[in-house]
């Protein structure tokens, strides 16, 4: 179930009283990969699972194919890279709307690099976003580049991860 609870409090920022909002996100993740003997061995089970939220279609998940996952399902690493791209895009589009900079197309082909550690774990080294934006007025490309910078600084998810998130916006 998804619950978005907004809890407000006030804080003093530079002489101004600001409302601080907190958002709560709840989903369910259910393993669906029991093939009959559970996790009796490393090869005995599938990594299949579903991510659900109230009122939305389920997201079929698995592990990366390199870890015995189903390549037809989304893995957590892909979802992380996608969420960073989505966050940047949504902030950028918002800023463009506020600034009256008309965007008529937006695509991104982000790439994340994860390294495995000797202990069997791993971590992301970086994610690079590569947005390609179509503007109604191509003469506003410099302003669009500035808004990419601003969007980068505002992205909630990029501000929450412990690895660099860069963007290489196509300047058309």
């Amino acid at each position: 179930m998804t619950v978005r609870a907004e809890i407000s409090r006030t804080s003093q920022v530079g002489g101004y009283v600001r409302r601080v909002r907190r958002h709560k996100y709840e989903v369910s993740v259910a393993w669906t990969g029991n093939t009959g003997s559970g996790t009796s061995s490393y090869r005995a089970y599938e990594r299949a699972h579903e991510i659900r939220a109230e009122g939305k279609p389920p997201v079929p998940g698995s592990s990366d194919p390199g870890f015995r996952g189903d390549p037809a399902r989304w893995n957590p690493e892909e979802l992380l890279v996608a969420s960073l791209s989505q966050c940047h895009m949504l902030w950028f589009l918002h800023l463009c709307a506020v600034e009256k900079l008309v965007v008529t197309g937006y695509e991104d082909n982000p790439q994340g690099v994860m390294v495995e550690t000797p202990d069997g774990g791993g971590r992301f080294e970086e994610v690079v976003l590569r947005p390609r934006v179509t503007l109604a007025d191509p003469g506003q490309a410099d302003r669009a580049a500035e808004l990419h910078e601003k969007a980068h600084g505002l992205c909630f998810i990029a501000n929450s991860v412990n690895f660099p998130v860069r963007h290489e916006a196509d300047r058309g």
Side-chain angles (χ1 to χ4, degrees):
M1 173 190 293
T2 300
V3 177
R4 266 187 100 165
E6 192 171 299
I7 304 163
S8 299
R9 63 180 170 86
T10 59
S11 68
Q12 198 74 18
V13 177
Y16 296 96
V17 175
R18 289 193 57 179
R19 243 177 94 194
V20 176
R21 297 185 297 188
R22 296 175 55 99
H23 301 267
K24 183 178 180 182
Y25 302 92
E26 293 182 12
V27 298
S28 68
V29 177
W31 175 52
T32 58
N34 184 351
T35 59
S37 61
T39 58
S40 60
S41 75
Y42 183 72
R43 296 179 184 277
Y45 66 98
E46 294 177 359
R47 277 60 177 171
H49 57 276
E50 287 190 348
I51 304 161
R52 294 181 176 271
E54 187 174 307
K56 298 177 184 178
V59 174
S62 187
S63 61
D64 180 281
F67 305 106
R68 301 191 50 78
D70 182 345
R73 291 173 165 253
W74 289 90
N75 66 58
E77 296 82 7
E78 290 169 325
L79 292 170
L80 177 61
V81 172
S83 68
L84 286 161
S85 176
Q86 287 176 276
C87 188
H88 181 90
M89 177 190 69
L90 293 169
W91 268 113
F92 177 77
L93 295 175
H94 167 80
L95 293 170
C96 287
V98 168
E99 295 279 330
K100 307 292 187 234
L101 192 147
V102 178
V103 174
T104 58
Y106 187 109
E107 284 187 40
D108 189 7
N109 292 300
Q111 181 181 44
V113 177
M114 186 188 79
V115 295
E116 290 183 56
T117 55
D119 64 359
R123 63 177 182 77
F124 270 81
E125 285 186 323
E126 74 172 350
V127 168
V128 179
L129 308 177
R130 295 187 176 92
R132 288 185 317 283
V133 177
T134 305
L135 301 171
D137 177 1
Q140 293 184 309
D142 288 342
R143 183 63 183 137
E146 292 170 9
L147 294 180
H148 273 296
E149 287 296 327
K150 189 170 183 179
H152 179 69
L154 292 169
C155 175
F156 305 137
I157 299 169
N159 287 326
S160 300
V161 297
N162 67 352
F163 53 85
V165 177
R166 299 184 298 113
H167 68 278
E168 298 172 352
D170 182 3
R171 298 201 49 146

